[in-house]
RNA sequence: GGCGCCGUACCCAAGUGGUAAGGGAGCAGUCUGCAAAACUGCGAUGCAGCGGUUCGAACCCGCUCGGCGCCUCCA
């Protein structure tokens, strides 16, 4: 039974979906004016895992994740680059799919864009004006915060406590400093749509209300996003949506913690961020850090807490993941010991799977879930020594695949899978030393064959030379007892 | 000024009332031409500090110290 921490109530609650077998969830995506950084990756990943776990638990999931494709920053970026705003948004939406794809983040069921929902946005805004919850000034429409008595219930703030205007100038035309724009009149040269209040474009918050209602109906199960969206974005969504429909909006609000650099929030404004593609493309990481490693690292901390990003942490994730792939390789090999320990495997799998499920049920405790998988790895290593049949070895691999799928791990047959997928990315734009130039599998295998010939002749000097050559290119080899050799990058 | 989060071994990180999971790094051993992997063993009498509640607290309460976030666009 899944429990989730619900920001709305401040407590962990048992998750119960509105419909029996279908969960409807909405997650705030990104504003597409730049490449995504690791913080965006974490958020996308947390909800990708939530979705996968709901599916693992037997639900169908209708998952909506939006793109904010019209706003001030996009317009500014378009001006800087001298292109139309939709050139900017199209470019970064594509980049989003590329980057998140490398991380194994599945596309949502629906990925709506604000600009494709203008009529729904206008309609919702009109509804709020007609109900007296919003007012029009000079072609702008504002939501009147004091008309929604429950304003602040998500972020646990009282209107009086919000020292509005302390850090920004208050617009004199607003009735209350916290009133926010539903519709903004446009200046010449800006993207604009027709509306009852003249040419303009939507404010930031209204699109999520309009699109979630459109795609998931007025009340749905889960609404997610980063912690920084709690206020004002999600608070405003609640005010608008509940104000307009008179019904509850989302039932469970789930928010992920930040990625930090040296204990400080990673953000554009602080300038202390790494984009996802930088992690893959730049510096010495490029041959070494795959999407799966980044994914493992991002899941090694509970989603609710902060997560410090560092080179060392990534390397540790790689080492840990390496251990799993070493085992998978061994499972493919027949060590000729028969199936005397097959029965032990079943017991171990059942015990570890139960721990895994228990951890995931506990508010998506991925570190504890990973610990269960590590436990199974240790168990299987020991059992394998005692002797597993071919079928049992296949089953063991399948168990890792099945639980791993919830976390998006262990799906590949070969270590370094993503290098193949990302292929072109690893060589673009970076100067690399000769010794880092990538060897093909065939070249590696030829070198290993030569080394093994040398070993047979007891020419260990030559054998070690070849191993060193490979080592310099980050290829690690392991000699097996039968005289053959396995290798990995 | 308001609201909130965090502080567990060398590093990362679970655990939220019953006597400290897991990983990485390290050390020792088995195995090995060597190496790698795997396996075995070693590692917090203590969970920022100080008080309190309790038969019992890392977990509950209070205070103190330290770090961070939100209140402005932000995943």
């Amino acid at each position: 039974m899944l429990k989730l921490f619900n920001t709305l109530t401040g407590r962990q609650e048992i998750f119960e979906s509105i419909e029996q077998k279908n969960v409807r969830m909405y997650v705030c995506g990104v504003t597409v004016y730049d490449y995504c950084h690791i913080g965006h990756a974490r958020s996308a990943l947390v909800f990708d895992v939530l979705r996968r776990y709901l599916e693992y638990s037997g639900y169908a999931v209708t998952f909506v994740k939006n793109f904010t494709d019209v706003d001030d920053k996009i317009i500014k970026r378009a001006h800087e680059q001298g292109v139309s705003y939709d050139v900017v948004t199209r470019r970064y939406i594509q980049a989003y799919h590329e980057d998140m794809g490398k991380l194994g983040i599945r596309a949502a069921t629906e990925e709506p864009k604000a600009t494709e929902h203008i009529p729904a946005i206008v309609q919702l805004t009109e509804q709020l004006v007609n109900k007296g919850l919003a007012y029009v000034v000079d072609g702008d429409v504002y939501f009147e915060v004091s008309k929604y008595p429950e304003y602040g219930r998500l972020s646990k703030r009282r209107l009086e406590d919000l020292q509005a205007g302390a850090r920004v100038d208050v617009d004199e035309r607003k009735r209350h400093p916290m009133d926010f724009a539903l519709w903004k009149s446009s200046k010449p040269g800006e993207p604009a749509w027709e509306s009852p209040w003249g040419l303009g474009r939507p404010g930031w918050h209204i699109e999520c209300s309009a699109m979630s209602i459109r795609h998931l109906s007025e009340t749905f199960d889960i609404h997610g996003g980063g912690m920084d969206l709690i206020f004002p974005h999600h608070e405003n969504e609640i005010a608008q949506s509940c104000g307009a429909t008179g019904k509850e909006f989302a039932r469970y609000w789930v928010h992920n913690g930040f990625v930090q650099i040296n204990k400080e929030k990673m953000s554009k404004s602080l300038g202390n961020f790494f984009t996802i593609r930088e992690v893959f493309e730049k510096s010495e990481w490029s041959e070494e850090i795959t999407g799966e490693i980044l994914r493992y690292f991002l899941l090694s901390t509970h989603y609710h807490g902060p997560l410090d990003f560092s080179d060392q942490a990534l390397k540790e994730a790689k080492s840990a993941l390496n251990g799993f792939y070493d085992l998978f390789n061994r499972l493919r090999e027949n060590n000729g010991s028969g199936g005397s320990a097959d029965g032990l495997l079943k017991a171990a799998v059942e015990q570890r799977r139960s721990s895994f499920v228990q951890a995931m049920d506990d508010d998506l405790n991925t570190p504890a879930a990973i610990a269960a998988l590590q436990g199974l790895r240790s168990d299987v290593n020991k059992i394998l020594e005692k002797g597993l049949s071919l079928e049992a070895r296949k089953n063991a691999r399948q168990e890792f695949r099945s639980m791993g799928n919830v976390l998006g791990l262990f799906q590949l047959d070969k270590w370094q899978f993503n290098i193949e997928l990302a292929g072109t990315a690893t060589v673009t734009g970076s100067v690399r030393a000769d010794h880092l130039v990538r060897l093909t599998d065939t070249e590696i295998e030829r070198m290993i064959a030569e080394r093994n010939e040398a070993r047979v002749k007891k020419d260990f000097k030559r054998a070690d030379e070849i191993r060193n050559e490979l080592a310099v290119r980050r290829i690690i080899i392991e000699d097996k007892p039968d005289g053959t050799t396995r290798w990995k990058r």
Side-chain angles (χ1 to χ4, degrees):
Chain A
M1 204 160 28
L2 175 63
K3 294 187 296 287
L4 287 175
F5 183 86
N6 188 352
T7 309
L8 196 57
T9 57
R11 287 196 318 264
Q12 218 180 72
E13 297 178 338
I14 292 169
F15 175 75
E16 287 172 333
S17 57
I18 297 168
E19 298 171 73
Q20 267 288 314
K21 279 288 150 197
N22 186 44
V23 175
R24 285 171 280 153
M25 74 184 224
Y26 186 93
V27 171
C28 289
V30 294
T31 301
V32 278
Y33 72 104
D34 205 347
Y35 293 115
C36 289
H37 58 62
I38 307 301
H40 299 117
R42 184 182 193 195
S43 186
L45 179 54
V46 164
F47 295 103
D48 182 61
V49 168
L50 175 54
R51 177 226 210 146
R52 285 166 182 261
Y53 188 60
L54 287 167
E55 288 175 349
Y56 180 86
S57 308
Y59 293 100
V61 180
T62 308
F63 179 31
V64 179
K65 180 161 69 181
N66 72 299
F67 285 113
T68 298
D69 66 342
V70 56
D71 96 326
D72 291 344
K73 290 188 293 289
I74 293 169
I75 293 167
K76 185 170 169 238
R77 182 58 55 96
H79 275 297
E80 285 166 8
Q81 302 186 349
V83 295
S84 165
Y85 83 99
D86 57 318
V87 172
V88 173
T89 59
R90 242 179 285 135
R91 178 187 308 149
Y92 291 113
I93 285 171
Q94 196 195 330
Y96 181 93
H97 284 132
E98 287 169 8
D99 294 345
M100 296 304 177
K102 258 182 240 174
L103 272 165
I105 288 164
R106 292 162 54 199
T109 320
E110 298 282 346
E111 300 190 334
K113 304 178 185 74
T115 56
E116 290 172 357
H117 292 74
I118 302 293
I121 290 167
V122 168
Q123 199 187 340
L124 190 61
T125 306
E126 271 187 302
Q127 214 173 326
L128 289 165
V129 173
N130 293 340
K131 281 198 164 187
L133 296 173
Y135 54 93
V136 183
V137 191
D138 306 333
D140 293 340
V141 184
Y142 291 99
F143 185 88
E144 189 164 6
V145 152
S146 49
K147 290 281 173 66
Y148 183 68
E150 293 185 279
Y151 193 79
R153 68 183 163 114
L154 180 71
S155 55
K156 315 280 186 283
R157 292 157 211 258
R158 292 173 305 168
L159 222 39
E160 311 88 76
D161 293 339
L162 293 163
Q163 287 206 330
R167 291 159 73 187
V168 281
D169 296 332
V170 174
D171 188 332
E172 297 290 319
R173 305 172 308 160
K174 293 204 281 191
R175 293 180 190 169
H176 186 283
M178 293 317 296
D179 290 351
F180 56 91
L182 299 171
W183 188 261
K184 298 164 115 167
S185 58
S186 58
K187 301 188 192 83
E190 290 182 348
W193 290 264
E194 290 285 356
S195 84
W197 318 284
L199 281 176
R201 59 190 162 92
W204 175 34
H205 316 294
I206 193 71
E207 62 174 270
C208 288
S209 292
M211 293 190 287
S212 56
I213 290 171
R214 168 62 53 93
H215 294 282
L216 296 173
S217 87
E218 291 171 337
T219 305
F220 53 95
D221 296 299
I222 299 170
H223 193 128
M227 291 276 190
D228 46 3
L229 297 182
I230 294 172
F231 191 91
H233 183 54
H234 288 163
E235 195 69 62
N236 291 352
E237 279 187 50
I238 290 175
Q240 295 160 359
S241 304
C242 297
T245 67
K247 294 177 186 164
E248 182 56 297
F249 186 43
R251 305 215 303 179
Y252 300 87
W253 289 82
V254 179
H255 293 97
N256 66 278
F258 299 127
V259 176
Q260 308 182 322
I261 300 280
N262 297 325
K263 309 283 182 197
E264 277 190 323
K265 177 184 176 184
M266 176 183 284
S267 74
K268 289 280 171 68
S269 45
L270 286 170
N272 62 343
F273 63 91
F274 293 95
T275 64
I276 297 170
R277 44 189 62 200
E278 273 175 329
V279 172
F280 291 128
E281 288 177 6
K282 286 197 178 165
S283 81
E284 76 269 27
W285 292 335
S286 58
E287 278 286 321
E288 296 181 296
I289 300 304
T290 65
E292 189 174 20
I293 293 168
L294 188 51
R295 201 168 165 114
Y296 187 101
F297 160 70
L298 291 170
L299 293 175
S300 64
T301 298
H302 186 95
Y303 80 86
H304 208 256
L307 170 61
D308 230 59
F309 182 80
S310 69
D311 193 9
Q312 191 200 330
L314 277 180
K315 283 181 179 151
E316 287 182 8
K318 178 172 186 174
S319 300
L321 207 41
N322 240 327
F324 285 101
Y325 277 89
D326 285 334
L327 172 61
F328 301 158
N329 277 333
R330 294 175 69 213
L331 283 172
R332 287 194 303 186
E333 293 157 4
N334 187 0
N335 64 2
S337 56
S340 54
D342 285 7
L344 294 173
L345 178 67
K346 204 177 172 199
V349 162
E350 266 161 34
Q351 196 215 324
R352 298 298 182 177
R353 185 166 42 205
S354 155
S355 305
F356 178 84
V357 167
Q358 203 181 322
M360 291 303 286
D361 272 346
D362 181 20
D363 196 26
L364 300 186
N365 191 338
T366 52
I370 287 173
L373 292 167
Q374 289 283 7
L376 185 60
R377 175 176 83 93
S378 172
D379 292 344
V380 173
N381 261 318
K382 285 171 203 164
I383 295 169
L384 186 57
E385 289 300 317
K386 296 196 176 107
L388 284 181
S389 65
L390 175 65
E391 196 193 347
R393 284 185 277 119
K394 277 187 175 165
N395 287 342
R397 180 67 183 91
Q398 185 50 40
E399 288 297 337
F400 281 104
R401 209 178 275 278
S402 143
M403 283 185 265
N405 187 239
V406 174
L407 305 178
L409 303 174
F410 313 148
Q411 297 308 298
L412 293 134
D413 292 322
K414 277 176 72 178
W415 182 231
Q416 272 318 66
F417 58 95
N418 251 353
I419 293 298
E420 271 72 34
L421 298 177
T424 53
T426 61
V427 283
T428 50
S430 54
V431 181
R432 27 191 67 266
D434 280 349
H435 67 271
L436 287 179
V437 168
R438 189 165 176 276
L439 294 176
T440 65
D441 290 6
T442 326
E443 285 167 331
I444 292 164
E445 270 146 28
R446 197 187 310 125
M447 287 169 76
I448 287 173
E450 190 190 336
R451 173 169 170 277
N452 283 339
E453 278 172 37
R455 287 174 69 215
V456 170
K457 292 182 211 147
K458 306 272 184 209
D459 183 1
F460 296 121
K461 184 163 170 286
R462 178 63 191 144
D464 289 348
E465 268 172 23
I466 293 171
R467 181 169 57 205
N468 287 338
E469 269 179 63
L470 288 165
V472 158
R473 291 170 164 88
R474 313 289 172 98
I475 309 297
I476 296 163
I477 58 181
E478 294 173 22
D479 296 330
K480 295 188 278 181
D482 65 4
T484 61
T485 299
R486 71 167 86 89
W487 61 274
K488 66 191 175 191
R489 291 180 197 279

